[in-house]
Amino acid sequence: MTASTKAYRARLLRFSPKGEALFDDDGLLVVGADADGVQRVRDAGPYRDLIARHAQVPVTYWPDRIIAPGFLDMHVHFPQTDIIGAPAEGLLPWLENYTFPAETRFADAAHAGEVAAFFFDELQRNGVTTALTFCTSHPASVDAFFGEARRRGLRMMGGKVLQDRHSPDGVRDETEQSLLDTEALIRKWHNQGRLGYAITPRFAPTSTDAQLRGAGELAARHSDTWIHSHVAENKDEVQWARELFPKARSYLDVYTGFGLMRERAVYAHCIHFDDADRALMRETKTAAAVSPTSNLFLGSGFFDYQGADRIGMRHGLASDVGGGTSFSPFHTMLAAYYVGREGQTKPGLSLAPSRLWWNHTGGAAQALGLEGVVGTLQAGTEADFVVLNPAATPLLARKTAMADNLEELLFALIVLGDDRLVERVVTAGTALPA
Ligand code: GUN
Ligand code: ZN
């Protein structure tokens, strides 16, 4: 034991590396800081089994509360915080009428900094401890994002948006400069403590071949960075991409051609896919960020969970704010449940509550290439966790008290929960001065 070792006693939800939910009604989570200043889980399990070997460790006791892994949001746009709930007929008019005008303002570092601080407050209130995040095409937005994440000691990934065509003045960037800026930002922020850089072409229709090729070259040179984009979200978008890239087998195939599919490549939506697309995702270890509140709000379509699992492609959950309607992982899990049920005629659960929860924690971590780092509360992982109050509202208190097993408890939290459930968030990193 070192001086920094601490323990927390409460009900405890963890996941095995394979995604099995483990629950202790009276659990203990023991954490301690390593030389890098990051708190990691030393031990976790039933209180009665563990306490003897941690007799000297100070214990914080939260009776009736549930400790669970912090949530991971696989795809979110911090500059779209202020356009949440903007109605549009579909993706392309929504981009033109709301998104691009809002993103134009992020050339201004002060505006970017103010929104970044609000965004991280909002993630925290909702129990999200890691997010793969779009910034805007302006390098100032990236500095604001990472600067704020670093100050708070958070594990966060993000990057400058690449969009050098079919984009209005104010957000359109210039091919060569955009790639130089990306490389400079990688050097400045990637692997600085818990931060990771994501090479971020907005989507194929708004990048020239030269920009996509340059992005792929950067991704090859910096092989542990993330790649982050959108694909096959909306039928008009798919048709546009097919017209712009007629030689590709499919819209997804455009990205392979430019070296933009590999482990740590993450594509939001992946709705209008065939099995060959799903197999390409699997073979390249590319992951889908499933964004159900966004897909329902913008009328984009329904992610095919059965298709994804039949072929075996990686996927996890995402808010996609501002297309998405909520920062709350509970809202996202409930929307994923609705989407998983779509078109089903047979009775029975398509997506078990513990599977939905896994898809927003340890499963999302695996899909992001962060297996063993966050998301499970297994020993050795970083100690980002939430403390939930299952009696946060009268109805939650009543319903969770009736739960006869773990699935019933988790389902009550998913269906009735929101930010009121999240009593506190404990993160593993050291907050640094500005
Ligand atoms: N496709 C290209 N840009 C965007 C965006 O900002 N949001 C969503 N949902 N889809 C996109
Ligand atoms: Zn998006």
Side-chain angles (χ1 to χ4, degrees):
M1 185 189 96
T2 65
S4 77
T5 308
K6 291 178 273 201
Y8 303 92
R9 179 181 181 186
R11 302 166 88 188
L12 177 60
L13 176 67
R14 297 170 290 139
F15 286 93
S16 75
K18 290 208 163 131
E20 183 195 0
L22 309 168
F23 191 74
D24 303 301
D25 239 331
D26 184 12
L28 193 71
L29 181 73
V30 184
V31 309
D34 285 319
D36 59 1
V38 177
Q39 304 271 342
R40 292 194 176 77
V41 177
R42 300 273 186 252
D43 212 350
Y47 176 83
R48 65 174 182 281
D49 297 350
L50 265 58
I51 191 62
R53 46 178 199 264
H54 302 288
Q56 308 304 316
V57 176
V59 178
T60 303
Y61 188 24
W62 290 313
D64 307 321
R65 301 302 192 261
I66 302 170
I67 291 176
F71 292 99
L72 286 88
D73 188 335
M74 286 187 65
H75 171 73
V76 59
H77 301 248
F78 99 79
Q80 295 177 12
T81 300
D82 290 338
I83 57 157
I84 197 165
E89 293 207 345
L91 171 68
L92 300 177
W94 177 80
L95 286 173
E96 193 175 319
N97 296 327
Y98 294 102
T99 314
F100 293 151
E103 292 194 7
T104 299
R105 297 186 61 197
F106 286 74
D108 172 8
H111 178 68
E114 190 274 325
V115 177
F118 183 88
F119 169 79
F120 284 116
D121 285 348
E122 202 60 22
L123 290 189
Q124 172 119 3
R125 284 186 342 93
N126 283 286
V128 176
T129 48
T130 289
L132 175 61
T133 311
F134 262 58
C135 299
T136 65
S137 56
H138 316 95
S141 72
V142 183
D143 288 334
F145 172 78
F146 281 126
E148 195 60 39
R150 181 173 175 276
R151 258 192 292 289
R152 297 172 187 233
L154 300 174
R155 177 166 286 287
M156 288 286 158
M157 295 84 78
K160 176 199 134 47
V161 174
L162 299 164
Q163 53 180 120
D164 66 350
R165 67 164 170 170
H166 299 145
S167 306
D169 292 350
V171 292
R172 192 178 59 257
D173 59 11
E174 192 274 312
T175 314
E176 202 173 325
Q177 190 60 43
S178 72
L179 298 168
L180 292 171
D181 287 345
T182 298
E183 181 131 47
L185 289 164
I186 292 171
R187 292 194 194 289
K188 184 167 180 186
W189 294 112
H190 187 55
N191 288 338
Q192 294 300 313
R194 303 177 81 204
L195 307 177
Y197 194 85
I199 297 164
T200 309
R202 178 162 217 120
F203 62 161
T206 51
S207 286
T208 59
D209 283 23
Q211 193 176 49
L212 292 171
R213 193 172 309 110
E217 285 164 9
L218 283 169
R221 272 211 301 285
H222 302 275
S223 60
D224 67 341
T225 55
W226 280 263
I227 298 167
H228 190 192
S229 190
H230 298 92
V231 74
E233 173 178 8
N234 165 289
K235 286 194 172 151
D236 293 339
E237 169 218 12
V238 173
Q239 195 186 333
W240 190 25
R242 301 305 307 273
E243 285 163 16
L244 291 169
F245 300 94
K247 293 200 189 116
R249 193 203 71 83
S250 67
Y251 178 5
L252 181 70
D253 194 45
V254 173
Y255 295 114
T256 340
F258 291 107
L260 290 167
M261 294 185 73
R262 60 153 164 77
E263 189 149 27
R264 292 196 169 185
V266 177
Y267 287 84
H269 309 301
C270 304
I271 294 172
H272 305 287
F273 266 12
D274 59 17
D275 276 356
D277 290 323
R278 296 186 185 100
L280 181 58
M281 296 285 287
R282 182 193 60 211
E283 279 148 27
T284 56
K285 300 187 166 70
T286 300
V290 182
S291 308
T293 72
S294 169
N295 300 156
L296 296 171
F297 183 72
L298 290 174
S300 303
F302 299 83
F303 181 77
D304 182 349
Y305 279 98
Q306 286 175 2
D309 290 341
R310 187 179 66 249
I311 304 293
M313 79 188 215
R314 298 174 181 205
H315 61 84
L317 285 172
S319 70
D320 190 31
V321 164
T325 50
S326 175
F327 284 103
S328 173
F330 300 100
H331 290 177
T332 302
M333 291 188 284
L334 180 56
Y337 178 73
Y338 295 148
V339 166
R341 297 227 49 148
E342 192 271 337
Q344 274 199 3
T345 51
K346 289 191 213 127
L349 288 178
S350 46
L351 283 163
S354 59
R355 181 58 34 178
L356 291 163
W357 208 293
W358 165 252
N359 286 346
H360 226 333
T361 54
Q366 276 186 3
L368 286 166
L370 290 174
E371 188 172 1
V373 180
V374 284
T376 61
L377 296 181
Q378 287 288 311
T381 63
E382 296 173 355
D384 287 331
F385 63 90
V386 293
V387 183
L388 306 178
N389 177 7
T393 70
L395 184 56
L396 268 167
R398 187 177 170 91
K399 189 69 194 159
T400 55
M402 289 176 189
D404 278 335
N405 55 51
L406 179 61
E407 294 298 337
E408 287 185 11
L409 174 65
L410 297 182
F411 217 174
L413 299 174
I414 289 169
V415 172
L416 300 174
D418 55 31
D419 52 307
R420 290 170 295 180
L421 261 181
V422 182
E423 196 166 79
R424 67 178 81 220
V425 178
V426 180
T427 47
T430 309
L432 295 172

